[in-house]
Amino acid sequence: MKLLVRHQTVYRYDASAGRVAMRLKLMPVDTPAQTVLDWQVSVNGDVLTDFRPNSYGEMETIWIRHDRQDNAVIVAEGLVETRETHGVVGAPVSRVNPRYFLRETPLTRASDGIAAMARATPEGDGPLARLHALSAAVIDSVGYRAGVTTSATTAAQAFALGAGVCQDHAQIFIAGARSLGIPARYVSGYLLAGDGSELHETHGWAEALVPELGWVGFDPSNRVCVTERYLRVASGLDADEAAPIRGTITVAGDISIDADVRIAQAVDGVEERQLQRQQQQSIPPSNAQL
């Protein structure tokens, strides 16, 4: 499957920003499940060419401006061919020992309830089956409900609330897996919805290390291992580390963010026309804080 993506994020400042520094993780890399055919990232119309591999084997860059400006428009767009690997992404090039992903963070610290849920999953059929059971247990315990959690909500808080979104489900799964001694990490990327609905935001899921298979992607929110409809971009210990954009801004006044993702399946020979049509679509507003 070939996926066309256009991800635009617009930062607006009430007063001109004196200094802006952003870490961008917006450049996908090749894995056994995907091949990047064409991709570029631009800020205010300038294409960024200084992406470098980090210790996870993924691409990132730092964008810094010291001159005063009223907004920053970040666009990541391109074409990626994905393959059905039943969630297996193997072992991408990384300088980090997988056991590093046993480390808890404030967002992924397992509560007693999360640890008990993980321990209750059956061991007998091996680690892969147990992780499938854990993924199902997460969504059974924490229903999908938008608007009840934020990016600062921890796995323990969402579990106690019994509701959340994909970020919460992934971080609860990660906390549970780590409590069982299984390395797990958060993944950010894009999902082509299979039910005819349109998603206009990034998606989050988890990867866990399975002996003899390597890293395997689990999406508790959708009760599946990741498929060819998923486009992987970045990973980290939690959602904050794997975020596509993180930054600091020196500004007096409020900051608003409008973010939108357009993703479609490409048809051979008409990719450019489809991408142009996506770019011409209006961008619905949404507000958040940096």
Side-chain angles (χ1 to χ4, degrees):
M1 180 179 290
K2 291 181 179 178
L3 300 180
L4 276 167
V5 175
R6 188 175 193 271
H7 176 189
Q8 176 174 288
T9 307
V10 181
Y11 291 84
R12 296 185 178 91
Y13 320 117
D14 282 353
S16 295
R19 181 182 184 274
V20 179
M22 294 185 181
R23 183 209 67 193
L24 304 179
K25 292 186 173 184
L26 285 165
M27 182 72 69
V29 298
D30 293 351
T31 73
Q34 66 187 37
T35 299
V36 181
L37 302 177
D38 181 61
W39 197 273
Q40 73 173 26
V41 179
S42 63
V43 180
N44 292 342
D46 296 328
V47 177
L48 304 185
T49 59
D50 57 348
F51 277 85
R52 297 289 184 270
N54 58 23
S55 58
Y56 298 161
E58 300 163 355
M59 304 297 285
E60 65 178 74
T61 191
I62 302 295
W63 183 79
I64 300 176
R65 290 291 296 270
H66 295 282
D67 53 324
R68 304 188 69 82
Q69 53 191 311
D70 297 322
N71 59 63
V73 181
I74 305 167
V75 177
E77 56 189 341
L79 177 67
V80 177
E81 183 172 13
T82 61
R83 291 173 289 277
E84 178 58 73
T85 62
H86 305 287
V88 178
V89 295
V93 177
S94 173
R95 300 194 301 272
V96 175
N97 188 305
R99 293 187 61 80
Y100 173 77
F101 291 100
L102 288 170
R103 180 178 298 184
E104 67 177 23
T105 70
L107 288 174
T108 59
R109 185 169 295 121
S111 62
D112 291 343
I114 293 175
M117 175 188 66
R119 289 194 303 270
T121 56
E123 299 182 58
D125 295 328
L128 181 60
R130 192 172 199 187
L131 288 165
H132 278 292
L134 176 61
S135 181
V138 170
I139 191 63
D140 287 342
S141 301
V142 182
Y144 187 95
R145 195 192 318 163
V148 298
T149 58
T150 71
S151 60
T153 302
T154 68
Q157 289 168 338
F159 187 80
L161 183 63
V165 293
C166 62
Q167 172 177 310
D168 306 299
H169 295 145
Q171 291 189 145
I172 293 168
F173 175 92
I174 290 165
R178 290 175 183 165
S179 73
L180 297 175
I182 300 172
R185 60 193 183 189
Y186 190 97
V187 177
S188 61
Y190 309 108
L191 169 61
L192 177 66
D195 58 1
S197 62
E198 293 186 356
L199 299 179
H200 295 296
E201 58 190 3
T202 57
H203 190 55
W205 59 94
E207 290 176 352
L209 191 65
V210 179
E212 300 180 3
L213 289 178
W215 292 101
V216 178
F218 293 87
D219 183 0
S221 291
N222 290 297
R223 295 181 181 270
V224 296
C225 279
V226 300
T227 69
E228 62 183 352
R229 292 178 173 271
Y230 290 72
L231 197 167
R232 186 187 192 280
V233 177
S235 65
L237 288 169
D238 53 30
D240 186 65
E241 189 183 19
I245 304 171
R246 276 289 177 266
T248 60
I249 299 174
T250 302
V251 61
D254 293 333
I255 303 168
S256 67
I257 306 174
D258 294 341
D260 186 74
V261 173
R262 303 285 165 151
I263 181 168
Q265 183 176 357
V267 178
D268 286 341
V270 297
E271 289 89 351
E272 291 184 2
R273 189 162 65 251
Q274 284 190 320
L275 185 55
Q276 182 179 6
R277 188 161 59 246
Q278 286 184 333
Q279 292 170 337
Q280 291 172 343
Q281 294 183 48
S282 61
I283 304 300
S286 61
N287 293 324
Q289 294 297 316
L290 179 66

